[in-house]
Amino acid sequence: DKETLEIVVDANDDLSNVTKNVSLPTTGQNGSSISWSSDNPGVVSAEGVVIRPIYGEADCTVVITATITYGNESEIKIFTIIVLAEILTDSLAVSLDTDALQIGYSGSDTAFSVTQNIILPSTGENGTTISWSSDKPEAITIEGLVSPPAYGESNSIVLMTATISKGTESDTREFELTVIPESSFTVAIDKSGYVKQGDVLSAEHVG
């Protein structure tokens, strides 16, 4: 049973290129019982479950040990398999770029206080295409142009939706942005350099 024992892999795999779960026989052809252990059960478990290293990590070499027992006799047989890291599929590219997606802001702006145009990425680092929609294009366009509400008006809450696509795979991610009204701190200075009565001062002009 030791001589004939083999790990059964997917039809497209071999022991040096494992991408799917493997089959670890628990009985031998002559009635022996077989138990298994792995030096890296997080990649290949003793039940043959395979978890591939994530994209960007190295392939993983795992040593699998079979213990073949019959009555009071037992022997071991050692197998070395290489589990390939995940490749960059369209689905994975979309997932990675969706998680990493960020909107760019100008100056001290944040998502909770938008006063200037924003940067909406059109491509992801993993080759995805990103398109945008806005539920209030009068406040923020799909190009990222911002039109703040007039002074005295309420904040404008805008939902920007990104669609991240590659091949036939796609996903969406939403961003809620708050566009605040135009500032009341405007100043008109006459030719003499004096602030005219009735003008509203900004902090930089006070003192």
Side-chain angles (χ1 to χ4, degrees):
D1 285 351
K2 176 181 178 181
E3 291 177 356
T4 59
L5 180 61
E6 297 292 343
I7 292 177
V8 181
V9 298
D10 183 79
N12 296 316
D13 290 355
D14 58 50
L15 292 184
S16 62
N17 295 277
V18 172
T19 63
K20 294 181 172 63
N21 294 344
V22 297
S23 178
L24 304 177
T26 56
T27 56
Q29 295 178 1
N30 296 286
S32 63
S33 62
I34 305 170
S35 60
W36 298 84
S37 64
S38 168
D39 73 340
N40 193 341
V43 177
V44 182
S45 74
E47 293 75 33
V49 177
V50 172
I51 299 177
R52 299 169 66 180
I54 63 174
Y55 169 70
E57 292 186 353
D59 299 338
C60 186
T61 299
V62 182
V63 176
I64 306 293
T65 301
T67 300
I68 306 101
T69 303
Y70 191 91
N72 295 322
E73 301 295 327
S74 66
E75 291 194 28
I76 63 171
K77 186 171 183 178
I78 296 174
F79 299 85
T80 299
I81 65 177
I82 299 175
V83 179
L84 301 185
E86 292 181 336
I87 61 173
L88 186 63
T89 62
D90 289 349
S91 177
L92 180 58
V94 167
S95 177
L96 292 173
D97 286 353
T98 298
D99 291 342
L101 182 59
Q102 298 292 333
I103 290 176
Y105 300 97
S106 300
S108 59
D109 281 7
T110 67
F112 306 102
S113 178
V114 177
T115 65
Q116 304 174 68
N117 295 340
I118 59 176
I119 300 172
L120 301 176
S122 59
T123 58
E125 291 186 359
N126 294 289
T128 56
T129 299
I130 305 171
S131 59
W132 294 86
S133 64
S134 169
D135 71 340
K136 291 183 181 177
E138 69 277 9
I140 304 179
T141 70
I142 59 174
E143 293 81 20
L145 302 179
V146 174
S147 298
Y151 169 63
E153 294 183 355
S154 301
N155 294 340
S156 182
I157 308 299
V158 183
L159 186 67
M160 302 296 297
T161 303
T163 300
I164 304 94
S165 306
K166 188 173 185 181
T168 59
E169 303 293 330
S170 66
D171 199 359
T172 60
R173 183 172 176 183
E174 295 180 341
F175 297 83
E176 186 176 270
L177 308 182
T178 301
V179 182
I180 64 175
E182 294 177 336
S183 174
S184 62
F185 297 112
T186 57
V187 175
I189 301 178
D190 63 18
K191 292 181 180 180
S192 65
Y194 292 96
V195 177
K196 295 179 290 184
Q197 185 176 3
D199 291 336
V200 181
L201 297 179
S202 66
E204 64 187 70
H205 292 95
V206 177

